[in-house]
Amino acid sequence: MEPRASVKNLIPYVPGKPIEELERELGIRSAAKLASNENPLGPSPLAQKALSENLSTVNLYPDGGCFELRRKLSRKLRVPEDMLIIGNGSNEVIEIVARTFLEPGDEAIYGSHAFIVYPIVTQSLGCSHVVSRMPDLTHDLEDMSSLITEKTRIIYIANPNNPTGTIVRREEFEWFLRQVPENIIILVDEAYFEYVDDPEYPDTLRYHTLRESLVTVRTFSKIYGLAGLRVGYAVASREAVSYMDRVRQPFNVNSAAQAAACAALDDEEHVARSIELNRTGREYFRLALGNLGLGYTESYANFFLVDIGRDPAAVYEALLRDGVITRPVGGYGLKTHLRVSFGLPGENERFIESLRRILGK
């Protein structure tokens, strides 16, 4: 059985090692998972309550249109309901956009150190991916603009970017909007936007009235702590959403996920606690990594990209044996780095002390 060439040559996405796998392989207990940018506080208590109340009806198919979740998101974001599409995580939303608007032979542009799902989705559809350079590990919008051809159909921008944590600021983003032809979709992946505290960060929801071909993608996996339930969404023009709804699988978001996401939107206290925990984690890492003499990329998300200064494989494995799970990012073209999520204070300290011992610092 032979797959399409575009699929055969794909490099699959490799997720962070699960805690259960590490504990099973090495006999370790109480591992600290700092690999997947998850919310260490877990889900909101309101979301947990909604989940338990929903269990008795999981024998029924979910609301295929996610009516209640779209209604609540519409009110919170102040966008019309028919400009929203909900997906099984933001990854599915990104895939829906690509499957709706990319034809074989089209081109999509993304950054050289951007989220690996962009090239996977693009290549799987028989399209060409055009890689833009990322000096200082940040999207170079001028370079992206220079790469546009008559075949360009989508430009992916992760803001903040995973795995580097860097951001594109308002002035350069507004310049970019003026440069890109209207027939090209600009997809801005804002999975980590709630963590950003830079006043020059552009809220892309403000620009949808100015550009029909803008798509903003967000998720409940990060700040809301619902990564295991897979809920994401996009804001796009009414016409774009109407086309994407034709491609979207029926019942793509399960009923438990919908209920939990609706409840999570009501828990502003949990979001505020998550933001504060992230801020203190970032400050701790900044100081601790500086004391170790290690380079890192200033992050506006919930992780740091740490430069070990050499192939990090041995350090990664040694950390695993200490029960600390981090993420090598060689697949992103970052050959000397580990990505480390901000955890609870004790987990952060455990990582730093383990790293200090492993590096002989």
Side-chain angles (χ1 to χ4, degrees), residues 14-147:
V14 180
K17 184 184 285 288
I19 289 177
E20 298 80 6
E21 181 181 341
L22 176 66
E23 294 181 344
R24 186 172 60 248
E25 289 179 354
L26 299 181
I28 291 168
R29 295 292 177 266
S30 303
K33 188 184 180 189
L34 305 178
S36 300
N37 307 339
E38 295 147 336
N39 186 335
L41 289 181
S44 151
L46 296 184
Q48 294 182 55
K49 183 173 183 289
L51 270 175
S52 64
E53 293 174 349
N54 187 261
L55 294 179
S56 63
T57 59
V58 295
N59 59 306
L60 305 176
Y61 284 106
D63 173 6
C66 298
F67 174 82
E68 184 62 22
L69 182 52
R70 283 193 301 111
R71 185 180 69 85
K72 295 194 78 166
L73 274 172
S74 172
R75 292 177 179 177
K76 181 177 179 62
L77 303 177
R78 298 181 180 178
V79 300
E81 291 179 37
D82 55 2
M83 289 181 64
L84 286 161
I85 185 167
I86 316 295
N88 184 36
S90 58
N91 280 13
E92 191 204 23
V93 177
I94 293 167
E95 184 178 5
I96 288 171
V97 175
R99 288 197 292 121
T100 302
F101 296 104
L102 284 177
E103 296 271 10
D106 285 345
E107 293 178 351
I109 300 173
Y110 64 92
S112 56
H113 307 301
F115 190 30
I116 206 163
V117 164
Y118 310 148
I120 289 175
V121 168
T122 301
Q123 185 176 330
S124 70
L125 295 171
C127 301
S128 300
H129 41 93
V130 179
V131 182
S132 171
R133 62 191 178 92
M134 292 181 66
D136 302 318
L137 304 181
T138 303
H139 285 91
D140 184 339
L141 299 191
E142 185 173 344
D143 185 62
M144 283 186 155
S145 177
S146 73
L147 296 174

Side-chain angles (χ1 to χ4, degrees), residues 279-290 304 345 347-353 356:
R279 184 189 64 78
T280 57
R282 182 188 294 144
E283 290 176 356
Y284 173 78
F285 269 62
R286 235 187 240 125
L287 179 62
L289 292 170
F304 265 158
E347 294 173 323
N348 296 338
E349 293 167 7
R350 181 177 174 183
F351 162 71
I352 291 296
E353 289 309 310
R356 187 194 312 277

Side-chain angles (χ1 to χ4, degrees), residues 13 133 176 258 289 327 335 338:
Y13 177 81
R133 62 191 178 92
F176 189 67
Q258 291 184 43
L289 292 170
R327 184 69 186 272
K335 303 301 185 183
L338 289 175

Side-chain angles (χ1 to χ4, degrees), residues 144-288:
M144 283 186 155
S145 177
S146 73
L147 296 174
I148 292 173
T149 72
E150 69 279 358
K151 294 183 178 180
T152 306
R153 292 288 286 138
I154 295 180
I155 301 174
Y156 300 104
I157 300 171
N159 203 31
N161 182 59
N162 175 28
T164 64
T166 55
I167 60 170
V168 167
R169 290 181 169 82
R170 183 178 301 116
E171 184 177 356
E172 55 189 321
F173 182 72
E174 291 180 350
W175 173 86
F176 189 67
L177 290 181
R178 295 192 295 269
Q179 307 306 308
V180 179
E182 181 63 39
N183 67 315
I184 297 173
I185 293 170
I186 300 174
L187 186 154
V188 186
D189 183 352
E190 295 181 343
Y192 302 91
F193 85 97
E194 292 99 339
Y195 294 111
V196 182
D197 52 11
D198 190 305
E200 293 304 311
Y201 178 76
D203 177 0
T204 56
L205 297 188
R206 294 179 48 212
Y207 301 99
H208 281 267
T209 56
L210 304 177
R211 185 183 181 90
E212 285 280 308
S213 54
L214 175 64
V215 179
T216 301
V217 178
R218 293 177 175 177
T219 185
F220 283 85
S221 293
K222 305 305 178 184
I223 199 80
Y224 292 108
L226 299 179
L229 290 177
R230 315 304 301 127
V231 191
Y233 63 93
V235 178
S237 70
R238 291 178 174 88
E239 183 180 22
V241 168
S242 71
Y243 290 134
M244 289 190 281
D245 262 330
R246 303 177 195 184
V247 172
R248 177 181 60 82
Q249 293 293 316
F251 310 120
N252 63 324
V253 183
N254 70 74
S255 54
Q258 291 184 43
C262 284
L265 287 173
D266 292 331
D267 200 339
E268 295 181 0
E269 180 183 348
H270 182 264
V271 171
R273 287 179 61 219
S274 300
I275 291 173
E276 178 59 21
L277 180 68
N278 197 70
R279 184 189 64 78
T280 57
R282 182 188 294 144
E283 290 176 356
Y284 173 78
F285 269 62
R286 235 187 240 125
L287 179 62

Side-chain angles (χ1 to χ4, degrees), residues 14-19 21-22 25-26 28 32-36 308 310-330 335-340 351 354-355 357-359:
V14 180
K17 184 184 285 288
I19 289 177
E21 181 181 341
L22 176 66
E25 289 179 354
L26 299 181
I28 291 168
K33 188 184 180 189
L34 305 178
S36 300
I308 303 298
R310 59 179 186 265
D311 184 342
V315 174
Y316 167 72
E317 293 293 339
L319 285 167
L320 286 181
R321 289 191 291 275
D322 277 357
V324 180
I325 311 172
T326 59
R327 184 69 186 272
V329 285
K335 303 301 185 183
T336 63
H337 296 74
L338 289 175
R339 191 189 66 193
V340 187
F351 162 71
S354 181
L355 187 63
R357 180 185 57 77
I358 291 166
L359 296 178

